[in-house]
Amino acid sequence: MSAIPLPLVPQGAGGQTLTGQDGAVVRRSVLPGGVRVLSEVMPHLRSATIGCWVGVGSRDEADGHHGSTHFLEHLLFKGTERRSAMDIATVLDGVGGEANAVTGKEYTCYYARVRDEDLPLAVDVLLDMVTSARLGEADVESERGVILEELAMNDDDPTDVVHERFAAQVMGAHPLGRPIGGTAETIAAVRREDILSHYRRYYDPTGLVITAAGGIDHDELCAQVARELARSDWSLVEGVGPRARRPSGEVDLEPPAPMALVPRGIEQANVVLGTTGLTATDSRRHVMSVLNAVLGGGMSSRLFQEIREARGLAYSVYSFATGYSDAGYFGLYAGCTPARVEEVIGLLGAQLDALAADGITAEELARAHGQLCGSLVLGLEDTGSRMTRLGKAELVQGEYLTLEESLRRVRAVTADDVAALAADLASRPRSLTVVGPFEADRTFEGG
């Protein structure tokens, strides 16, 4: 078996098991209360990475609560009933471990990497944070300043700004168009009660997913998780299944805004030209990976060779695709001298049009297959990437693929598949986002 379905009904302690050709064993169990535990055992390693996932992101925030998900991520490190913020920091430092968190538009993950013998400690610390965060008023106020500084830092990076504004353009009024961290205005306005309400709504056993990879034992991990959850106030009811996954399927979006300009007094213009893309579960997502590799995925890609190597118009140029449960976007990025913006915009659009009109060569297809397969294998050499792969399989795809099956699906993509997807993308309305030293009423040609 090369794939394992991940049903939402309780599976019991035995759960499901899948063994890959590389010897890694993936197991999944559903504990009382609906808590899901997935592990990938890599017996030759002396380290492990564990993640606590909750299927809530910035898109799920109610009006008036924008930025609460990211705010909450910060606050969970500020202390619990059993540990202060300093305790959380020092207990993992003391064993050479590291902990962090990430907030996305559709999920949040708290994770730690430790030696295999210290995994019980990491389970204890992370679940204490997730289930028993203090969320005190003083902590909210002190962390508000930290988050405002983080937003200011991001706003000083024109690359971050152009990507964020492009997403807002294409997604429009859809919640996926909102920035993950909120804005300075929403962070300044959000109250502790708003954050607490957000926490109580989404943080419970039915929404919790534990994933771990490395030198671990699945049964011991399940026992550790059950033991730590029993110390919390969470209700672990037998027979209760996991929370339903976010519904998938493409949603109708409003027509995207054709252009957005962010005037900034900087030396380089940052440009994104793009359109709507594929959802995270679209059957063509592997085709999109191959298309990206050919168009803008590396030094041999068309965008790199034409815009940087042949013409010397940009240092950084690439294509990208981001997919969510019900929407996605696809774009072409370049950073260039302001005087050459229109020329670069024209070249970006022309490369996409050429791909749609003429397809790709057999050599490009073979190179893309090799690039993607190599990246997949190399990317799974560490426990963190495997832990993340488990979490996304559970929360997003609803199935886990072995490495061999992932490679097979990439290699199954044909030149005709790529040409058809390129034609689809090229036919869609395009949006242009520019950040640079221009007057607010400046317009651009070439896209």
Side-chain angles (χ1 to χ4, degrees), residues 353-422:
D353 290 336
L355 193 65
D358 304 323
I360 63 175
T361 66
E363 179 184 355
E364 286 177 317
L365 180 63
R367 190 164 59 238
H369 284 167
Q371 177 185 340
L372 292 169
C373 290
S375 295
L376 272 171
V377 173
L378 295 176
L380 293 178
E381 289 293 300
D382 68 275
T383 58
S385 61
R386 292 191 179 235
M387 179 279 294
T388 299
R389 194 163 178 256
L390 289 171
K392 291 183 177 180
E394 178 65 44
L395 286 172
V396 180
Q397 275 89 31
E399 68 170 351
Y400 175 82
L401 305 180
T402 62
L403 175 59
E404 296 76 35
E405 176 62 14
S406 295
L407 297 176
R408 187 196 68 78
R409 294 191 186 187
V410 168
R411 293 178 181 129
V413 174
T414 68
D416 288 343
D417 295 332
V418 176
L421 179 56

Side-chain angles (χ1 to χ4, degrees), residues 13-37:
Q16 301 150 284
T17 302
L18 178 63
T19 302
Q21 293 178 8
D22 58 357
V25 178
V26 174
R27 291 184 60 187
R28 176 181 185 265
S29 299
V30 179
L31 305 183
V35 177
R36 287 158 279 176
V37 180

